[in-house]
């Protein structure tokens, strides 16, 4: 699954309440400033366009169609993403979290199962399930707490890099500040040496010249 972007599976048999639950989660999460995508699997096929509309006519003529207007866009393609992981990697860079409805036999590591009437546990085909919810529970609150916990853990696990700004007009000092000497090293060398042990990676922000000792650092 995509690195750094939590993917939450909401699974269960037809009629278990997956769509209703996800529909209730979205406005709460979006209201907290999160960008949320939903991946829905429907084994019965999809009906996502209006008969006779231009976009439907283009699609039925054989083209993949992107329709957009106002603040909305829509993409309709022939075929399917057989590889869920590949689809999630396409979505991940643009969202804070992805919710997957269905795909009960997928290898998602964060998976909740909604029990249907008469069920007391998820089926073996569901694999590892983190959260099991029966019909008497407050499913919305339970899933929101579960999502928030994993989001916080994900955010805290992200690496923090040090970016050192170099260059500029040198109007105040008469020369580039980062090259001013402090003992046997320049200011930029001193900064790199100081912050280096505290972060997994240090990068230089700018195109100005640096001492030879720092030329191997990545520049942005």
């Amino acid at each position: 699954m995509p690195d750094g972007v939590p993917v939450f599976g909401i699974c269960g048999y037809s009629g278990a309440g997956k769509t209703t639950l996800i529909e209730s989660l979205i406005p709460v999460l979006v209201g907290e400033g999160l960008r949320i995508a939903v991946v829905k699997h429907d084994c019965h096929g999809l009906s996502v366009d209006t008969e006779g509309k231009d976009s439907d006519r283009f699609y039925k003529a054989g083209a993949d169609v992107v329709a957009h207007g106002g603040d909305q866009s829509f993409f309709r393609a022939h075929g399917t993403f057989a590889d869920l992981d590949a689809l999630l990697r396409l979505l991940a860079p643009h969202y804070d979290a992805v919710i997957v409805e269905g795909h009960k036999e997928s290898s998602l590591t964060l998976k909740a199962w909604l029990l249907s009437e008469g069920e007391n546990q998820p089926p073996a085909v569901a694999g590892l399930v983190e959260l099991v919810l029966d019909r008497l529970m407050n499913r919305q609150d339970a899933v929101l707490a579960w999502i928030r916990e994993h989001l916080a853990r994900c955010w805290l696990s992200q690496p923090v890099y040090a970016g050192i700004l170099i260059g500029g007009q040198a109007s105040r000092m008469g020369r580039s500040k980062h090259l001013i000497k402090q003992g046997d090293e320049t200011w930029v060398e001193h900064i790199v040496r100081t912050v280096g042990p505290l972060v997994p990676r240090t990068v230089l922000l700018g195109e100005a010249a640096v001492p030879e000792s720092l030329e191997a650092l990545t520049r942005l």
Side-chain angles (χ1 to χ4, degrees), residues 1 12 14 17 19 22 52 61 78 102 109 114 117 128 148 162 181 200:
M1 295 303 146
S14 178
T19 299
I22 294 172
H78 292 80
T109 56
L114 307 188
E117 192 72 34
L128 180 64
R148 288 170 178 147
K181 280 292 192 89

Side-chain angles (χ1 to χ4, degrees), residues 55-69:
S55 55
D56 181 62
R57 291 164 64 189
F58 297 150
Y59 177 81
K60 288 179 177 176
D64 293 347
V65 178
V66 178
H68 59 91

Side-chain angles (χ1 to χ4, degrees), residues 2 53 68-69 71 88 103 121 124-126 150 159 172-173 206 218:
K53 284 286 188 180
H68 59 91
D71 61 351
L88 294 175
H103 290 277
Q121 63 181 10
V125 296
H150 281 288
R172 287 183 298 168
M173 310 286 291
T218 299

